Amino acid sequence: MKKTVVIILIIIIGLGAYFFTRNNKDQISREKTDVNVTDSTPQPLPSVDVSDLRAGGSSFREETGAYNFLYPADYVLDETDKQHIRIYKTGPTQQGQTELYDGAIIVYEVITLEEKNLSDWVDNYLTTVTTDGTTKIVEPKKEISLN
């Protein structure tokens, strides 16, 4: 008799846990929303006065001269990986030895186009990162300028 009661209790607890978990997953998936883009037409960028940046900022020039940029003096330049040049600044609540959650980071990546144009390279990259289903494109590809 005791064995039967214990088995029934285990089954009830197992079913309860199953339905509780399933309900939470359904609720989480309902809370996620996709970004809907209504207008993907590129807008003209406002002109930016970089005189303050030139006066008090820093600059970086890639060794082959392929690109260069100015960045604020209070940002950190990270050149440890020659393929990914990073500039970043951490905020006041950022903890050491943790993933960046309070701050800003810009990563410049050196890529080889291998006789492709940039648009074709990006299309191929997007196909590669979305193939396994863990990445989803929520906005169409669009041209941008960093200034």
Side-chain angles (χ1 to χ4, degrees):
M1 175 79 173
K2 284 185 179 183
K3 281 185 177 183
T4 305
V5 172
V6 170
I7 291 174
I8 291 173
L9 282 175
I10 290 173
I11 291 172
I12 291 172
I13 291 171
L15 288 172
Y18 168 76
F19 287 112
F20 175 77
T21 305
R22 187 172 137 208
N23 186 31
N24 277 351
K25 285 182 183 177
D26 290 344
Q27 185 168 347
I28 289 170
S29 67
R30 283 192 302 271
E31 290 171 0
K32 291 183 181 179
T33 58
D34 291 339
V35 175
N36 293 321
V37 178
T38 56
D39 182 14
S40 62
T41 306
Q43 300 298 315
L45 295 172
S47 63
V48 177
D49 181 12
V50 295
S51 57
D52 289 342
L53 188 56
R54 287 191 175 116
S58 299
S59 64
F60 174 81
R61 178 177 296 280
E62 191 265 337
E63 62 188 36
T64 66
Y67 64 92
N68 59 58
F69 55 85
L70 297 172
Y71 61 96
D74 59 342
Y75 276 62
V76 176
L77 174 68
D78 178 4
E79 298 179 77
T80 54
D81 173 3
K82 293 297 180 189
Q83 187 171 354
H84 300 94
I85 305 300
R86 296 171 177 85
I87 55 170
Y88 65 92
K89 177 180 180 179
T90 57
T93 64
Q94 180 69 42
Q95 297 291 317
Q97 304 299 318
T98 61
E99 182 176 305
L100 183 66
Y101 58 85
D102 181 11
I105 185 168
I106 298 174
V107 180
Y108 294 87
E109 179 178 0
V110 177
I111 60 172
T112 304
L113 295 177
E114 299 172 356
E115 298 185 26
K116 295 179 188 170
N117 63 35
L118 183 58
S119 182
D120 290 342
W121 185 91
V122 170
D123 290 340
N124 185 53
Y125 178 78
L126 292 175
T127 299
T128 302
V129 298
T130 57
T131 300
D132 67 0
T134 59
T135 303
K136 180 179 179 183
I137 305 298
V138 295
E139 288 189 31
K141 178 180 71 173
K142 62 184 173 184
E143 198 172 301
I144 63 165
S145 297
L146 293 176
N147 190 1

